[in-house]
């Protein structure tokens, strides 16, 4: 059985575990570096990217995560997870994995649009995806290897680079498993 790990330090990792279970794969809460060797793919959930980054640093997970992703582990980051995967953020200084060649802007949609929902056209999906954005980032700058799969107001909100998929929004909250399926297909 395919085993998909969910980084379970902070944030909404339980919702990812549930949706993965509903898709018929083994879902594993990952808290320790040695667990990375036991999964076929990884989800980095939404939450607070500074907190997840600090905890990953404290638990000695930053280097092992970088190495696993670099060596091809299919990895999907949602929202704070997208931020953690990025090469840089537009403001501030926080621990990042630097695996995805993008610069992200945190809380990019501003106060009035802190949370919103939108039906998105996504490359590779036949029907629009109902996307929930919560204090979401957008991708401010993309490197040459980045494929943009969806945008809101001309800002990329879903990207792929080799074995890495990232969304600004939260597909674990709506019960639509199509994006998690994309990850599973990357195994
Ligand atoms: N605003 C959060 C951050 O900057 C991300 C929000 C989320 O994951 N829903 O880390």
């Amino acid at each position: 059985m395919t085993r998909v790990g969910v980084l379970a330090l902070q944030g909404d990792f339980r919702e990812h575990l549930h949706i993965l279970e509903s898709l018929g794969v083994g879902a594993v809460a990952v808290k320790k570096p040695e667990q990375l060797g036991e999964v076929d793919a990884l989800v980095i959930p939404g939450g607070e990217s500074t907190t997840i980054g600090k905890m990953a640093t404290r638990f000695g997970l930053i280097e092992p995560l970088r190495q696993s992703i670099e060596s091809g582990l299919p990895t999907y980051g949602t929202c704070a997870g997208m931020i953690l995967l990025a090469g840089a953020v537009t403001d501030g200084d926080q621990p990042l994995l630097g695996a995805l060649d993008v610069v992200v802007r945190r809380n990019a949609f501003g106060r009035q649009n802190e949370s919103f929902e939108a039906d998105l056209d996504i490359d590779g999906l036949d029907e629009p995806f109902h996307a929930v954005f919560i204090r979401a980032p957008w991708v401010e700058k993309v490197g040459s290897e980045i494929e943009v799969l969806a945008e809101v107001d001309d800002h990329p909100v879903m990207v792929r680079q080799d074995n890495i998929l990232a969304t600004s929004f939260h597909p674990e909250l709506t019960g639509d498993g199509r994006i998690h399926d994309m990850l599973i297909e990357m195994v």
Side-chain angles (χ1 to χ4, degrees):
M1 190 196 246
T2 300
R3 287 163 60 92
V4 181
V6 181
L7 189 66
L9 300 177
Q10 189 266 341
D12 73 338
F13 54 89
R14 288 176 198 84
E15 287 79 357
H16 283 282
L17 292 167
H18 288 149
I19 197 163
L20 288 164
E21 277 160 12
S22 79
L23 294 171
V25 296
V28 184
V30 170
K31 296 180 192 237
K32 296 188 185 143
E34 55 271 26
Q35 291 176 287
L36 290 170
E38 297 161 8
V39 296
D40 305 301
L42 180 72
V43 173
I44 305 181
E48 184 54 43
S49 59
T50 50
T51 306
I52 299 174
K54 272 187 210 151
M55 292 179 79
T57 305
R58 190 178 318 144
F59 295 143
L61 272 157
I62 296 282
E63 268 317 308
L65 281 166
R66 278 191 188 129
Q67 279 167 19
S68 300
I69 298 168
E70 165 121 9
S71 61
L73 182 70
T75 301
Y76 169 38
T78 59
C79 203
M82 171 194 257
I83 297 167
L84 211 74
L85 285 166
V89 290
T90 51
D91 335 87
D93 187 24
Q94 63 185 92
L96 299 174
L97 296 171
L100 188 64
D101 190 10
V102 294
V103 178
V104 296
R105 179 174 295 279
R106 295 177 63 198
N107 305 318
F109 291 92
R111 279 185 166 246
Q112 289 194 325
N113 287 319
E114 245 183 26
S115 297
F116 63 99
E117 305 188 9
D119 289 316
L120 282 187
D121 288 322
I122 294 179
D123 270 15
L125 296 184
D126 294 337
E127 299 290 328
F129 193 96
H130 189 71
V132 176
F133 293 80
I134 303 166
R135 302 207 308 120
W138 70 44
V139 175
E140 182 92 8
K141 247 197 221 167
V142 296
S144 58
E145 304 295 302
I146 296 288
E147 203 184 335
V148 175
L149 303 183
E151 294 180 323
V152 170
D153 299 337
D154 294 330
H155 301 290
V157 293
M158 178 169 181
V159 295
R160 181 163 52 201
Q161 175 185 345
D162 306 322
N163 55 312
I164 305 171
L165 191 64
T167 62
S168 300
F169 54 90
H170 288 271
E172 72 284 7
L173 299 180
T174 47
D176 185 337
R178 287 179 292 164
I179 296 183
H180 290 81
D181 269 334
M182 284 175 144
L183 173 70
I184 294 164
E185 276 164 28
M186 285 157 66
V187 171

